[in-house]
Amino acid sequence: MNAFARLLLICDTDLHYSPALARAQALAGASGASLHIVVLGSLQNGLALLDYNTQQRARESIQARQQAWLDDQLERLRGHGIDASVEAIWGEEPLEEILRLVTTRQIDLLVKDTQYEPALSRALIRPLDWQLLRQCPVPVHLVSLAEHPLPRRVVAAIDLSHDEPGIKALNDRIVESAQKFARQCDAELHLLQAYDVSASFLAYAAGPVAWTAELDEQLSGRSRQRMDRIGARFGVGRPCQHLAKGPAMRVIAEFAVQQRMDVVVMGTLYHAGLAKIIGSTTEQTLYRINSSILAVRP
């Protein structure tokens, strides 16, 4: 049975054929998964100031246009033999509506177009994409580009620099999800570890031990050993295992471009304090790479 048998697509409110729609259609068509397509609607700020009757007419007009577009998509998808359904939902709390659908329809994978938000906006409000990364109980596939609607190359970005049980468990979850996703797409699976020497140097900076080439080699050697072990466990050979020096966000972004990765699989952890404003590695990477992200929780 497919790992992702029930897909939920949150469509762009502009009602056009988007990268996420292309990706969801390709995934459902290749694997036989069911696909439920949803458009979330609400009145724009300006219309909300109008009188009740005018608001109702505006709402009815918007909903009629949404339903007509959804019906066209449904006919097209069923014409391709895809088990599809559609729904237009009106509400002021999109996150709550999405989480409700995930639960009631027993969704395995949420698919949505990446919605870019400027840094200032991210500091003032919580983007819906970030909220989904933090709160959605199932894997979230945020699609920024679908050069290949059905992914050909998938990379699991893991963190082998820590020994904590929680991090190890998340690494396993990332690789397991990446492997299942790649198999469902018949895609090539890669593993990527970014090790940041500068972060490790900070641990030595306050003490009497100077950073040396030997310490650098020791750090990369430990990462190599851990990569070999996790590669052996999941059947990913050395040619598809990659170690790169540098900050995670930069390494992942550069690797995805250079190796033409269609999907980067990453883990999400809840962060408190300043990270609520600036976002986690996964959240920040969302705006820095051309590849799409598949985010999984521990």
Side-chain angles (χ1 to χ4, degrees), residues 15 39 60-76 86-88:
L15 305 181
V39 173
E60 290 170 2
S61 175
I62 293 171
Q63 287 183 305
R65 182 166 57 88
Q66 290 177 338
Q67 193 60 53
W69 185 82
L70 285 170
D71 290 342
D72 288 342
Q73 303 312 308
L74 182 61
E75 182 179 1
R76 181 179 60 81
V86 298
E87 184 176 3

PDB file of all heavy atoms in Angstrom, residues 15 39 60-76 86-88:
ATOM      1  N   LEU A  15      -6.983  30.700  -8.274  1.00  0.00           N
ATOM      2  CA  LEU A  15      -7.642  29.714  -9.131  1.00  0.00           C
ATOM      3  C   LEU A  15      -6.927  29.558 -10.470  1.00  0.00           C
ATOM      4  O   LEU A  15      -7.486  29.813 -11.545  1.00  0.00           O
ATOM      5  CB  LEU A  15      -9.111  30.091  -9.356  1.00  0.00           C
ATOM      6  CG  LEU A  15      -9.963  30.300  -8.103  1.00  0.00           C
ATOM      7  CD1 LEU A  15     -11.392  30.654  -8.488  1.00  0.00           C
ATOM      8  CD2 LEU A  15      -9.952  29.073  -7.210  1.00  0.00           C
ATOM      9  N   VAL A  39     -10.436  24.812  -1.952  1.00  0.00           N
ATOM     10  CA  VAL A  39     -10.177  26.246  -2.057  1.00  0.00           C
ATOM     11  C   VAL A  39     -10.775  26.902  -0.827  1.00  0.00           C
ATOM     12  O   VAL A  39     -11.949  26.684  -0.507  1.00  0.00           O
ATOM     13  CB  VAL A  39     -10.793  26.852  -3.334  1.00  0.00           C
ATOM     14  CG1 VAL A  39     -10.643  28.378  -3.305  1.00  0.00           C
ATOM     15  CG2 VAL A  39     -10.131  26.290  -4.572  1.00  0.00           C
ATOM     16  N   GLU A  60     -21.378  35.177  -2.363  1.00  0.00           N
ATOM     17  CA  GLU A  60     -22.017  34.246  -3.295  1.00  0.00           C
ATOM     18  C   GLU A  60     -21.312  34.263  -4.646  1.00  0.00           C
ATOM     19  O   GLU A  60     -21.128  33.215  -5.280  1.00  0.00           O
ATOM     20  CB  GLU A  60     -23.493  34.608  -3.452  1.00  0.00           C
ATOM     21  CG  GLU A  60     -24.323  34.332  -2.210  1.00  0.00           C
ATOM     22  CD  GLU A  60     -25.715  34.915  -2.291  1.00  0.00           C
ATOM     23  OE1 GLU A  60     -26.044  35.512  -3.357  1.00  0.00           O
ATOM     24  OE2 GLU A  60     -26.480  34.775  -1.316  1.00  0.00           O
ATOM     25  N   SER A  61     -20.887  35.444  -5.079  1.00  0.00           N
ATOM     26  CA  SER A  61     -20.178  35.554  -6.357  1.00  0.00           C
ATOM     27  C   SER A  61     -18.828  34.838  -6.302  1.00  0.00           C
ATOM     28  O   SER A  61     -18.462  34.109  -7.234  1.00  0.00           O
ATOM     29  CB  SER A  61     -19.977  37.028  -6.700  1.00  0.00           C
ATOM     30  OG  SER A  61     -19.199  37.179  -7.874  1.00  0.00           O
ATOM     31  N   ILE A  62     -18.100  35.052  -5.202  1.00  0.00           N
ATOM     32  CA  ILE A  62     -16.792  34.407  -5.050  1.00  0.00           C
ATOM     33  C   ILE A  62     -16.946  32.895  -4.995  1.00  0.00           C
ATOM     34  O   ILE A  62     -16.212  32.142  -5.656  1.00  0.00           O
ATOM     35  CB  ILE A  62     -16.086  34.930  -3.780  1.00  0.00           C
ATOM     36  CG1 ILE A  62     -15.715  36.396  -3.939  1.00  0.00           C
ATOM     37  CG2 ILE A  62     -14.829  34.099  -3.482  1.00  0.00           C
ATOM     38  CD1 ILE A  62     -15.214  37.054  -2.661  1.00  0.00           C
ATOM     39  N   GLN A  63     -17.913  32.414  -4.208  1.00  0.00           N
ATOM     40  CA  GLN A  63     -18.110  30.979  -4.059  1.00  0.00           C
ATOM     41  C   GLN A  63     -18.543  30.336  -5.368  1.00  0.00           C
ATOM     42  O   GLN A  63     -18.124  29.213  -5.681  1.00  0.00           O
ATOM     43  CB  GLN A  63     -19.127  30.703  -2.963  1.00  0.00           C
ATOM     44  CG  GLN A  63     -18.582  30.964  -1.559  1.00  0.00           C
ATOM     45  CD  GLN A  63     -19.587  30.624  -0.476  1.00  0.00           C
ATOM     46  OE1 GLN A  63     -20.713  31.128  -0.479  1.00  0.00           O
ATOM     47  NE2 GLN A  63     -19.194  29.760   0.438  1.00  0.00           N
ATOM     48  N   ALA A  64     -19.379  31.018  -6.148  1.00  0.00           N
ATOM     49  CA  ALA A  64     -19.822  30.473  -7.434  1.00  0.00           C
ATOM     50  C   ALA A  64     -18.631  30.322  -8.387  1.00  0.00           C
ATOM     51  O   ALA A  64     -18.505  29.313  -9.100  1.00  0.00           O
ATOM     52  CB  ALA A  64     -20.886  31.373  -8.044  1.00  0.00           C
ATOM     53  N   ARG A  65     -17.759  31.337  -8.391  1.00  0.00           N
ATOM     54  CA  ARG A  65     -16.572  31.273  -9.250  1.00  0.00           C
ATOM     55  C   ARG A  65     -15.634  30.159  -8.807  1.00  0.00           C
ATOM     56  O   ARG A  65     -15.086  29.423  -9.628  1.00  0.00           O
ATOM     57  CB  ARG A  65     -15.847  32.626  -9.218  1.00  0.00           C
ATOM     58  CG  ARG A  65     -14.606  32.708 -10.111  1.00  0.00           C
ATOM     59  CD  ARG A  65     -14.173  34.155 -10.266  1.00  0.00           C
ATOM     60  NE  ARG A  65     -13.912  34.769  -8.978  1.00  0.00           N
ATOM     61  CZ  ARG A  65     -12.716  34.731  -8.355  1.00  0.00           C
ATOM     62  NH1 ARG A  65     -11.697  34.094  -8.921  1.00  0.00           N
ATOM     63  NH2 ARG A  65     -12.557  35.334  -7.205  1.00  0.00           N
ATOM     64  N   GLN A  66     -15.452  30.003  -7.481  1.00  0.00           N
ATOM     65  CA  GLN A  66     -14.607  28.935  -6.961  1.00  0.00           C
ATOM     66  C   GLN A  66     -15.163  27.561  -7.326  1.00  0.00           C
ATOM     67  O   GLN A  66     -14.423  26.671  -7.758  1.00  0.00           O
ATOM     68  CB  GLN A  66     -14.473  29.060  -5.441  1.00  0.00           C
ATOM     69  CG  GLN A  66     -13.657  30.242  -4.969  1.00  0.00           C
ATOM     70  CD  GLN A  66     -13.630  30.361  -3.454  1.00  0.00           C
ATOM     71  OE1 GLN A  66     -14.509  29.836  -2.755  1.00  0.00           O
ATOM     72  NE2 GLN A  66     -12.639  31.058  -2.935  1.00  0.00           N
ATOM     73  N   GLN A  67     -16.464  27.384  -7.143  1.00  0.00           N
ATOM     74  CA  GLN A  67     -17.066  26.081  -7.408  1.00  0.00           C
ATOM     75  C   GLN A  67     -16.988  25.719  -8.885  1.00  0.00           C
ATOM     76  O   GLN A  67     -16.739  24.571  -9.238  1.00  0.00           O
ATOM     77  CB  GLN A  67     -18.521  26.067  -6.940  1.00  0.00           C
ATOM     78  CG  GLN A  67     -19.132  24.671  -6.898  1.00  0.00           C
ATOM     79  CD  GLN A  67     -18.389  23.741  -5.946  1.00  0.00           C
ATOM     80  OE1 GLN A  67     -18.195  24.071  -4.778  1.00  0.00           O
ATOM     81  NE2 GLN A  67     -17.964  22.585  -6.454  1.00  0.00           N
ATOM     82  N   ALA A  68     -17.207  26.719  -9.770  1.00  0.00           N
ATOM     83  CA  ALA A  68     -17.109  26.455 -11.202  1.00  0.00           C
ATOM     84  C   ALA A  68     -15.700  26.007 -11.573  1.00  0.00           C
ATOM     85  O   ALA A  68     -15.513  25.065 -12.369  1.00  0.00           O
ATOM     86  CB  ALA A  68     -17.498  27.712 -11.982  1.00  0.00           C
ATOM     87  N   TRP A  69     -14.686  26.676 -10.999  1.00  0.00           N
ATOM     88  CA  TRP A  69     -13.294  26.294 -11.285  1.00  0.00           C
ATOM     89  C   TRP A  69     -12.997  24.897 -10.745  1.00  0.00           C
ATOM     90  O   TRP A  69     -12.369  24.080 -11.427  1.00  0.00           O
ATOM     91  CB  TRP A  69     -12.345  27.319 -10.667  1.00  0.00           C
ATOM     92  CG  TRP A  69     -10.901  27.080 -10.993  1.00  0.00           C
ATOM     93  CD1 TRP A  69     -10.244  27.448 -12.135  1.00  0.00           C
ATOM     94  CD2 TRP A  69      -9.939  26.398 -10.180  1.00  0.00           C
ATOM     95  NE1 TRP A  69      -8.926  27.047 -12.073  1.00  0.00           N
ATOM     96  CE2 TRP A  69      -8.712  26.400 -10.885  1.00  0.00           C
ATOM     97  CE3 TRP A  69      -9.998  25.809  -8.935  1.00  0.00           C
ATOM     98  CZ2 TRP A  69      -7.561  25.822 -10.375  1.00  0.00           C
ATOM     99  CZ3 TRP A  69      -8.849  25.218  -8.418  1.00  0.00           C
ATOM    100  CH2 TRP A  69      -7.645  25.231  -9.127  1.00  0.00           C
ATOM    101  N   LEU A  70     -13.452  24.613  -9.532  1.00  0.00           N
ATOM    102  CA  LEU A  70     -13.240  23.296  -8.943  1.00  0.00           C
ATOM    103  C   LEU A  70     -13.914  22.205  -9.759  1.00  0.00           C
ATOM    104  O   LEU A  70     -13.344  21.115  -9.954  1.00  0.00           O
ATOM    105  CB  LEU A  70     -13.762  23.270  -7.507  1.00  0.00           C
ATOM    106  CG  LEU A  70     -12.913  23.993  -6.457  1.00  0.00           C
ATOM    107  CD1 LEU A  70     -13.674  24.094  -5.132  1.00  0.00           C
ATOM    108  CD2 LEU A  70     -11.582  23.277  -6.240  1.00  0.00           C
ATOM    109  N   ASP A  71     -15.114  22.464 -10.248  1.00  0.00           N
ATOM    110  CA  ASP A  71     -15.817  21.471 -11.067  1.00  0.00           C
ATOM    111  C   ASP A  71     -15.044  21.171 -12.344  1.00  0.00           C
ATOM    112  O   ASP A  71     -14.982  20.011 -12.790  1.00  0.00           O
ATOM    113  CB  ASP A  71     -17.226  21.967 -11.398  1.00  0.00           C
ATOM    114  CG  ASP A  71     -18.152  21.976 -10.187  1.00  0.00           C
ATOM    115  OD1 ASP A  71     -17.825  21.289  -9.188  1.00  0.00           O
ATOM    116  OD2 ASP A  71     -19.180  22.674 -10.233  1.00  0.00           O
ATOM    117  N   ASP A  72     -14.434  22.207 -12.934  1.00  0.00           N
ATOM    118  CA  ASP A  72     -13.607  21.991 -14.130  1.00  0.00           C
ATOM    119  C   ASP A  72     -12.407  21.111 -13.803  1.00  0.00           C
ATOM    120  O   ASP A  72     -12.046  20.212 -14.589  1.00  0.00           O
ATOM    121  CB  ASP A  72     -13.129  23.329 -14.688  1.00  0.00           C
ATOM    122  CG  ASP A  72     -14.245  24.129 -15.349  1.00  0.00           C
ATOM    123  OD1 ASP A  72     -15.286  23.529 -15.670  1.00  0.00           O
ATOM    124  OD2 ASP A  72     -14.067  25.361 -15.530  1.00  0.00           O
ATOM    125  N   GLN A  73     -11.763  21.361 -12.658  1.00  0.00           N
ATOM    126  CA  GLN A  73     -10.607  20.548 -12.268  1.00  0.00           C
ATOM    127  C   GLN A  73     -11.022  19.105 -12.001  1.00  0.00           C
ATOM    128  O   GLN A  73     -10.310  18.162 -12.369  1.00  0.00           O
ATOM    129  CB  GLN A  73      -9.937  21.138 -11.014  1.00  0.00           C
ATOM    130  CG  GLN A  73      -9.489  22.574 -11.145  1.00  0.00           C
ATOM    131  CD  GLN A  73      -8.711  22.829 -12.419  1.00  0.00           C
ATOM    132  OE1 GLN A  73      -7.737  22.133 -12.743  1.00  0.00           O
ATOM    133  NE2 GLN A  73      -9.139  23.844 -13.162  1.00  0.00           N
ATOM    134  N   LEU A  74     -12.172  18.947 -11.367  1.00  0.00           N
ATOM    135  CA  LEU A  74     -12.662  17.599 -11.058  1.00  0.00           C
ATOM    136  C   LEU A  74     -12.900  16.804 -12.336  1.00  0.00           C
ATOM    137  O   LEU A  74     -12.505  15.630 -12.435  1.00  0.00           O
ATOM    138  CB  LEU A  74     -13.949  17.698 -10.243  1.00  0.00           C
ATOM    139  CG  LEU A  74     -14.568  16.369  -9.786  1.00  0.00           C
ATOM    140  CD1 LEU A  74     -13.612  15.612  -8.880  1.00  0.00           C
ATOM    141  CD2 LEU A  74     -15.892  16.617  -9.076  1.00  0.00           C
ATOM    142  N   GLU A  75     -13.537  17.418 -13.300  1.00  0.00           N
ATOM    143  CA  GLU A  75     -13.792  16.739 -14.576  1.00  0.00           C
ATOM    144  C   GLU A  75     -12.482  16.361 -15.266  1.00  0.00           C
ATOM    145  O   GLU A  75     -12.333  15.250 -15.802  1.00  0.00           O
ATOM    146  CB  GLU A  75     -14.636  17.643 -15.477  1.00  0.00           C
ATOM    147  CG  GLU A  75     -14.992  17.015 -16.813  1.00  0.00           C
ATOM    148  CD  GLU A  75     -15.857  17.917 -17.671  1.00  0.00           C
ATOM    149  OE1 GLU A  75     -16.171  19.047 -17.224  1.00  0.00           O
ATOM    150  OE2 GLU A  75     -16.198  17.507 -18.799  1.00  0.00           O
ATOM    151  N   ARG A  76     -11.534  17.288 -15.243  1.00  0.00           N
ATOM    152  CA  ARG A  76     -10.247  17.024 -15.894  1.00  0.00           C
ATOM    153  C   ARG A  76      -9.498  15.879 -15.207  1.00  0.00           C
ATOM    154  O   ARG A  76      -8.965  14.984 -15.871  1.00  0.00           O
ATOM    155  CB  ARG A  76      -9.396  18.304 -15.870  1.00  0.00           C
ATOM    156  CG  ARG A  76      -8.035  18.184 -16.538  1.00  0.00           C
ATOM    157  CD  ARG A  76      -7.291  19.505 -16.488  1.00  0.00           C
ATOM    158  NE  ARG A  76      -7.073  19.945 -15.123  1.00  0.00           N
ATOM    159  CZ  ARG A  76      -6.078  19.489 -14.348  1.00  0.00           C
ATOM    160  NH1 ARG A  76      -5.245  18.572 -14.824  1.00  0.00           N
ATOM    161  NH2 ARG A  76      -5.918  19.944 -13.134  1.00  0.00           N
ATOM    162  N   VAL A  86     -13.684  17.543  -4.686  1.00  0.00           N
ATOM    163  CA  VAL A  86     -13.396  18.963  -4.528  1.00  0.00           C
ATOM    164  C   VAL A  86     -14.316  19.554  -3.470  1.00  0.00           C
ATOM    165  O   VAL A  86     -15.381  19.024  -3.171  1.00  0.00           O
ATOM    166  CB  VAL A  86     -13.570  19.731  -5.861  1.00  0.00           C
ATOM    167  CG1 VAL A  86     -12.591  19.225  -6.907  1.00  0.00           C
ATOM    168  CG2 VAL A  86     -15.012  19.628  -6.367  1.00  0.00           C
ATOM    169  N   GLU A  87     -13.859  20.711  -2.924  1.00  0.00           N
ATOM    170  CA  GLU A  87     -14.638  21.361  -1.878  1.00  0.00           C
ATOM    171  C   GLU A  87     -14.214  22.823  -1.772  1.00  0.00           C
ATOM    172  O   GLU A  87     -13.022  23.129  -1.773  1.00  0.00           O
ATOM    173  CB  GLU A  87     -14.406  20.652  -0.547  1.00  0.00           C
ATOM    174  CG  GLU A  87     -15.229  21.156   0.607  1.00  0.00           C
ATOM    175  CD  GLU A  87     -15.017  20.343   1.880  1.00  0.00           C
ATOM    176  OE1 GLU A  87     -14.164  19.417   1.858  1.00  0.00           O
ATOM    177  OE2 GLU A  87     -15.691  20.636   2.887  1.00  0.00           O
ATOM    178  N   ALA A  88     -15.210  23.711  -1.713  1.00  0.00           N
ATOM    179  CA  ALA A  88     -14.957  25.124  -1.457  1.00  0.00           C
ATOM    180  C   ALA A  88     -15.402  25.428  -0.035  1.00  0.00           C
ATOM    181  O   ALA A  88     -16.540  25.133   0.337  1.00  0.00           O
ATOM    182  CB  ALA A  88     -15.712  25.993  -2.450  1.00  0.00           C
TER     183      ALA A  88
END
